[in-house]
Amino acid sequence: MKNNVKLLILGALTLAASAVAAQTVRKTPYWASIEEPEARMRTGPSTEFPVKWVYKRQDLPVKVIAVHEVWRKVEDPDGDQGWMHVRLLSPTRTAIVIAPGISELRDAPSGTARISWRLEKGVIGKIDDCQKGWCRLDITGRIGYIEASRVWGEEAP
């Protein structure tokens, strides 16, 4: 019985290690988002390096530009770069409205489509299906299309 338990634990550990290893093989650059309510960006890939920024914006999009073991070098929407532990990041694609003033979320990917919502600079939503200068954006269930030039997190990394 003890051997079976040991084998089960060993199997679970191997599976967990495989999941972490799978995260490291993604080709950079790629998009991710901050998963935690608070995340520290460091000057290097270790807790020995000083904290550069503390982010308190869950779902903020980041571009992963390098990988070192369980650390990811990321770039934020302002262009700042530093290192974050992989557990602070999510593969969920998000985007942040960067255009000044009010942006329009439309029912279809067209400048003549009905405006369904108006968005201020700094609004974050889940992004997918970017084509021909428009991206589908989901802001807590409010879904529509926004011009790709008005958000950060949409271009091919």
Side-chain angles (χ1 to χ4, degrees):
M1 183 70 172
K2 282 186 177 181
N3 285 339
N4 287 343
V5 172
K6 286 180 183 178
L7 284 175
L8 184 62
I9 291 171
L10 181 61
L13 290 174
T14 303
L15 187 60
S18 298
V20 170
Q23 293 175 0
T24 63
V25 294
R26 281 187 79 182
K27 185 179 176 203
T28 57
Y30 64 89
W31 293 103
S33 57
I34 296 177
E35 186 166 38
E36 300 296 324
E38 183 174 298
R40 289 173 175 76
M41 176 190 278
R42 296 184 176 272
T43 59
S46 164
T47 56
E48 300 297 316
F49 286 92
V51 173
K52 185 175 182 179
W53 289 105
V54 177
Y55 293 88
K56 295 188 177 190
R57 190 81 192 266
Q58 196 168 11
D59 296 326
L60 183 75
V62 293
K63 185 187 295 185
V64 177
I65 56 176
V67 172
H68 178 73
E69 297 174 359
V70 295
W71 292 89
R72 303 295 179 265
K73 186 173 187 182
V74 299
E75 180 177 328
D76 72 12
D78 294 324
D80 286 321
Q81 295 182 1
W83 293 86
M84 290 185 162
H85 195 281
V86 69
R87 69 176 167 71
L88 300 173
L89 302 174
S90 166
T92 302
R93 288 276 314 269
T94 62
I96 185 170
V97 177
I98 57 168
I102 302 296
S103 296
E104 297 159 342
L105 198 62
R106 297 182 176 270
D107 284 344
S110 165
T112 58
R114 185 179 81 77
I115 298 170
S116 51
W117 302 97
R118 297 184 196 281
L119 310 173
E120 293 182 339
K121 182 178 179 179
V123 169
I124 293 175
K126 292 180 183 170
I127 190 171
D128 65 9
D129 192 29
C130 293
Q131 295 179 25
K132 299 179 182 174
W134 291 88
C135 291
R136 185 174 178 268
L137 194 63
D138 178 345
I139 303 147
T140 61
R142 295 177 174 98
I143 300 170
Y145 292 85
I146 188 168
E147 290 178 88
S149 62
R150 302 189 72 77
V151 295
W152 188 86
E154 55 64 4
E155 80 271 5

